[in-house]
Amino acid sequence: MAQNLVALAGNEAVAYAFKQARPHVGSAFPITPQTEMMHKFAEFVANGEVDTEMILVESEHSAMSAAIGSAAAGARTFTATSSAGFALMWEMVYVAASLRLPINMALVNRALSGNINIHCDHSDSMGGRDSGWIQVFCENAQESYDTALMNFRISEHMDVRLPAMTNYDGFIISHTEDALYLLDDDTAYDFIGPYQAKYALLDVENPITVGPLDLTDYYFEHKWSQMEAQKRVFPVAREVMSEFGELTGRSYDFFEEYRLDDADLVMVVLGSSAGTTKDVIDEYRDKGVKVGLLKLRLFRPFPVAEIVKVLAGRKAIAVLDRSASFGGFGGPVFTEIRSALYRQEQTPIHNWIYGLGGRDYDLKQVAEVIEKLQQIAAGEELQEVNLLGIRL
Amino acid sequence: MFNKAEKIREKYIREEMWPSIFCTGCGIGNVLSYTMRALDELKLDIDRCVFCSGIGCSSRLPGYIEADGLHTTHGRAIAFATGVKLAAPDLNVVVFTGDGDLAGIGGNHFIHAARRNADLTVICVNNFNYGMTGGQVSPTTPVAAVATTAPYGNLEEPFDLCRLAIGAGAPYVARWTVGYPYETIEAIKNALAKPGFAFVELLMPCPTGYGKENEQREPAVAWQWYKENTITRGDLGRLDPEQRAANRKIVVGTLWDVQKPEYTARWAEFVQSL
């Protein structure tokens, strides 16, 4: 199948994916580093390249509210934000998932205030990990584009009907020009398919009320339905990713295994840091160190069974978190992985919190972690939760 | 008439923060200068002043001033400032904000603070777009003006910020462009002296954002536009009724100045009465 090799920044790449989904409605408010994504989309609308009603709302709270209204009315809907914008959406983020509205959002990861910082970390998306959204993290522009396309299919699947966020690292991916393949518009749209509304407000023959009072009687059961829907993401995502692989030749899974087959030492990372990590892993492999990477893509729902299968029995695992859980035992990815591996063979699992507020994640830091992993595998007792690349 | 620029700079500005982030032709540096001159003229103690701001180019100002500052989140400067004023009514609380920060994401705080009438001085730099994030349509972008999110022109009606402030109950409202230094400094002085919610809107070019899209990319051209497209309240009054009705220029001057009980004073009285 013909694909066009182009050079685009991550924001533009995702704007293309959103355009190709032909959403009926989009709403957005400017926030760095998401803004170019919205510019690009507004340009598509203005040039008549996509027939989307674009609402330039007055805040992110309004952006998500408008998206909820639109999705409840039966329209394919998208929005995009970052950092404080996502935090301001907070109330509505939970409502979107609770109402089972398959809204698609680009969350261009950026540190939360304060102090004010515009650079990448995952504290924004990690705040939304319990909100009921599907969360996928991407390594580069190609993966962000592909994920955005696939997320429409997954979130809108009748077994799922959940909102989905495509997470990609602010500036590192959003603003960096990258080479990637784009599908042509029709192929991409055919892959996603036309939107099918379920319980749309505009179905006047079958009027419904969305979001009314739900107290001790049925609220709990509605939360159960969200939990069940999250579980149904796994088979649906598998199916969608496999179909996408056949279409494009680019295969994805819940996570990527890099030189993991015989690895004694494993690093776990999300997002763009995977590239840097792979480079250093190659260096250590050349030296005969059996180290590999698990790049986690699907964070919500968390693919616990598959992760246990891959990680159980390793000699030492390092989980890297690009966000902190203040006062908690390690970062959110660490907590999740460690909890998943409980009662498996006693693999030591350590945590490194790194890259907060865009602090560069460099080759030396990866090497530092691999060196520590070797010491841990050799039986040394090291601190379980550590900071990487901090200046103290 | 006023102290020399070097003296103002030495007295009030954080030298280590220089040079500023502002683009060539931007007027925010002037707003800083005018505000410091107004403070100096009134002989206000800078140690008794707090400068609050939200997000945007103008919201960077508190960082340049050698005084207490509170740089907050997008749209919330007035809400934070209200908290400061209520906790310490003796302080002079100044808010630097922009059109997007004040009337877009922070619109609700703006109207409620005007209604409540706590003693705040709100200086709004209006450059008709979200400048810092790259020139998107804001709530003051004129109809048909081009923005990065409206490449063929804006469809939405803009706010008249001063009318909004007056309608919401602010007792002092003035509008100038940064091309009127002395009048602007007088307006800021009046606003600082006003016991209550005082609002000063300063129209200002943004050559990098709004200007680039709307034939005001050259700073000299942009500043000229603001001269040519504004009329003082006095000059408007001197026009004959027909001309006045046909006026399409933006009216600048003191637009509203009334006496109203100030909130923290009323609060203190209320507590005394209980």
Side-chain angles (χ1 to χ4, degrees):
Chain A
M1 199 217 44
Q3 296 188 61
N4 307 315
L5 179 64
V6 294
L8 293 175
N11 271 336
E12 295 172 302
V14 172
Y16 268 97
F18 280 12
K19 178 192 87 163
Q20 292 175 329
R22 298 180 197 164
H24 303 104
V25 175
S27 60
F29 182 78
I31 186 163
T32 305
Q34 165 269 126
T35 19
E36 280 73 16
M37 142 75 210
M38 158 189 182
H39 289 179
K40 193 72 193 165
F41 199 91
E43 207 177 287
F44 291 142
V45 174
N47 288 335
E49 290 177 58
V50 63
D51 189 20
T52 302
E53 280 196 44
M54 187 80 195
I55 322 167
L56 304 173
V57 287
E58 66 284 351
S59 78
E60 288 88 355
H61 191 275
S62 311
M64 187 51 76
S65 303
I68 289 170
S70 154
R76 177 173 281 164
T77 307
F78 85 92
T79 184
T81 193
S82 293
S83 178
F86 182 60
L88 184 59
M89 282 181 178
W90 197 246
E91 179 188 16
M92 294 300 152
V93 167
Y94 275 71
V95 174
S98 303
L99 299 181
R100 307 286 301 278
L101 300 172
I103 296 162
N104 270 267
M105 172 158 73
L107 183 57
V108 189
N109 298 130
R110 163 184 155 183
L112 284 173
S113 292
N115 295 348
I116 299 162
N117 182 301
I118 58 170
H119 294 286
C120 171
D121 74 30
H122 296 154
S123 54
D124 51 2
S125 50
M126 286 306 162
R129 73 184 168 158
D130 299 334
S131 64
W133 283 59
I134 297 166
Q135 289 184 314
V136 187
F137 287 82
C138 308
E139 182 183 339
N140 50 39
Q142 180 76 70
E143 196 175 322
S144 305
Y145 166 78
D146 293 345
T147 300
L149 289 178
M150 289 188 282
N151 274 354
F152 277 97
R153 272 280 296 276
I154 298 167
S155 68
E156 291 174 6
H157 195 286
M158 285 300 166
D159 290 348
V160 175
R161 305 304 281 188
L162 286 173
M165 57 181 93
T166 301
N167 290 279
Y168 54 99
D169 290 346
F171 292 106
I172 303 166
I173 298 176
S174 70
H175 283 60
T176 310
E177 209 78 357
D178 205 349
L180 71 151
Y181 288 97
L182 293 187
L183 298 176
D184 67 71
D185 286 359
D186 288 340
T187 309
Y189 183 72
D190 288 345
F191 171 75
I192 296 171
Y195 186 70
Q196 287 178 296
K198 201 177 183 185
Y199 312 121
L201 282 176
L202 298 179
D203 181 1
V204 289
E205 298 296 320
N206 300 292
I208 57 159
T209 303
V210 171
L213 200 64
D214 192 16
L215 301 176
T216 46
D217 45 4
Y218 279 110
Y219 180 87
F220 201 167
E221 285 70 25
H222 287 133
K223 295 298 121 182
W224 166 84
S225 92
Q226 288 176 248
M227 294 170 197
E228 290 300 307
Q230 283 277 350
K231 286 183 201 162
R232 289 196 293 270
V233 169
F234 297 122
V236 170
R238 268 265 152 76
E239 185 189 306
V240 171
M241 289 186 296
S242 136
E243 202 182 306
F244 190 81
E246 281 166 32
L247 180 70
T248 63
R250 292 187 294 277
S251 302
Y252 293 100
D253 208 326
F254 302 155
F255 45 81
E256 180 190 331
E257 298 173 42
Y258 185 78
R259 307 193 79 162
L260 211 53
D261 279 351
D262 62 340
D264 295 326
L265 316 175
V266 181
M267 288 180 69
V268 179
V269 302
L270 305 183
S272 64
S273 304
T276 315
T277 310
K278 286 172 184 172
D279 257 26
V280 183
I281 284 178
D282 287 347
E283 283 175 28
Y284 274 83
R285 280 283 181 174
D286 290 347
K287 289 190 237 171
V289 180
K290 287 184 176 176
V291 57
L293 165 73
L294 187 148
K295 180 188 87 184
L296 188 56
R297 283 175 30 77
L298 185 66
F299 184 66
R300 282 291 179 270
F302 186 75
V304 63
E306 290 78 5
I307 286 197
V308 168
K309 214 167 132 192
V310 167
L311 291 184
R314 308 285 176 169
K315 287 195 181 149
I317 296 169
V319 180
L320 271 68
D321 268 288
R322 202 160 194 159
S323 63
S325 172
F326 302 101
F329 177 44
V333 188
F334 169 73
T335 311
E336 208 83 40
I337 299 264
R338 202 164 146 125
S339 161
L341 287 167
Y342 176 66
R343 298 193 73 170
Q344 300 300 320
E345 287 175 57
Q346 286 303 301
T347 305
I349 307 172
H350 289 63
N351 189 203
W352 276 269
I353 289 162
Y354 76 105
L356 300 188
R359 174 64 54 82
D360 201 17
Y361 174 63
D362 59 22
L363 305 172
K364 272 190 215 152
Q365 293 177 25
V366 188
E368 186 184 327
V369 173
I370 298 175
E371 295 290 338
K372 291 269 167 61
L373 277 178
Q374 289 176 274
Q375 295 170 22
I376 295 162
E380 271 185 60
E381 289 284 329
L382 296 185
Q383 191 174 301
E384 288 176 301
V385 179
N386 307 275
L387 304 177
L388 192 59
I390 193 163
R391 302 184 310 173
L392 293 173
Chain B
M1 180 177 179
F2 295 105
N3 255 334
K4 281 188 177 161
E6 296 79 32
K7 271 199 171 168
I8 293 287
R9 189 163 157 169
E10 206 174 291
K11 204 165 163 189
Y12 299 112
I13 303 300
R14 285 185 178 137
E15 204 68 39
E16 68 273 20
M17 290 290 289
W18 231 243
S20 76
I21 60 152
F22 306 122
C23 308
T24 307
C26 169
I28 298 175
N30 301 62
V31 173
L32 176 60
S33 157
Y34 301 161
T35 308
M36 293 304 111
R37 281 159 193 263
L39 258 151
D40 197 66
E41 274 289 290
L42 290 177
K43 299 191 167 47
L44 288 183
D45 180 0
I46 191 85
D47 293 336
R48 305 296 298 162
C49 295
V50 177
F51 298 88
C52 298
S53 67
I55 295 290
C57 297
S58 55
S59 291
R60 294 290 288 260
L61 283 180
Y64 298 111
I65 306 170
E66 191 68 78
D68 287 331
L70 193 53
H71 191 178
T72 70
T73 58
H74 206 187
R76 313 301 150 204
I78 289 179
F80 279 84
T82 303
V84 172
K85 186 70 193 177
L86 263 58
D90 294 346
L91 299 180
N92 295 299
V93 183
V94 178
V95 172
F96 289 114
T97 183
D99 47 306
D101 191 55
L102 177 88
I105 196 165
N108 210 30
H109 302 307
F110 177 40
I111 55 174
H112 287 282
R115 173 181 68 79
R116 188 180 297 117
N117 197 33
D119 183 21
L120 304 177
T121 298
V122 177
I123 299 171
C124 175
V125 173
N126 181 1
N127 57 11
F128 302 126
N129 77 146
Y130 287 96
M132 182 167 263
T133 45
Q136 296 83 10
V137 164
S138 89
T140 60
T141 308
V143 171
V146 175
T148 46
T149 45
Y152 298 114
N154 173 36
L155 287 177
E156 294 186 17
E157 287 289 333
F159 269 132
D160 178 328
L161 298 179
C162 288
R163 284 174 64 185
L164 188 61
I166 295 166
Y172 181 83
V173 177
R175 177 196 287 129
W176 290 98
T177 86
V178 284
Y180 288 93
Y182 295 113
E183 291 84 349
T184 301
I185 293 165
E186 281 305 315
I188 297 173
K189 280 166 66 179
N190 292 339
L192 286 166
K194 187 79 187 178
F197 186 90
F199 180 65
V200 181
E201 178 188 6
L202 297 174
L203 304 177
M204 188 207 78
C206 174
T208 309
Y210 183 81
K212 182 178 67 188
E213 309 281 353
N214 295 284
E215 293 167 9
Q216 295 176 25
R217 187 172 194 146
E218 285 299 316
V221 173
W223 281 65
Q224 194 59 30
W225 187 93
Y226 287 85
K227 282 244 145 150
E228 286 169 2
N229 289 279
T230 52
I231 183 167
T232 63
R233 203 160 160 251
D235 286 346
L236 184 74
R238 283 185 279 278
L239 295 178
D240 63 53
E242 212 167 282
Q243 284 175 310
R244 207 178 307 149
N247 174 56
R248 290 290 170 269
K249 291 184 177 179
I250 302 166
V251 181
V252 295
T254 305
L255 304 180
W256 196 249
D257 192 359
V258 296
Q259 300 303 321
K260 271 182 83 173
E262 192 273 331
Y263 183 76
T264 55
R266 283 181 67 190
W267 180 264
E269 277 170 32
F270 181 61
V271 171
Q272 285 300 316
S273 75
L274 294 176

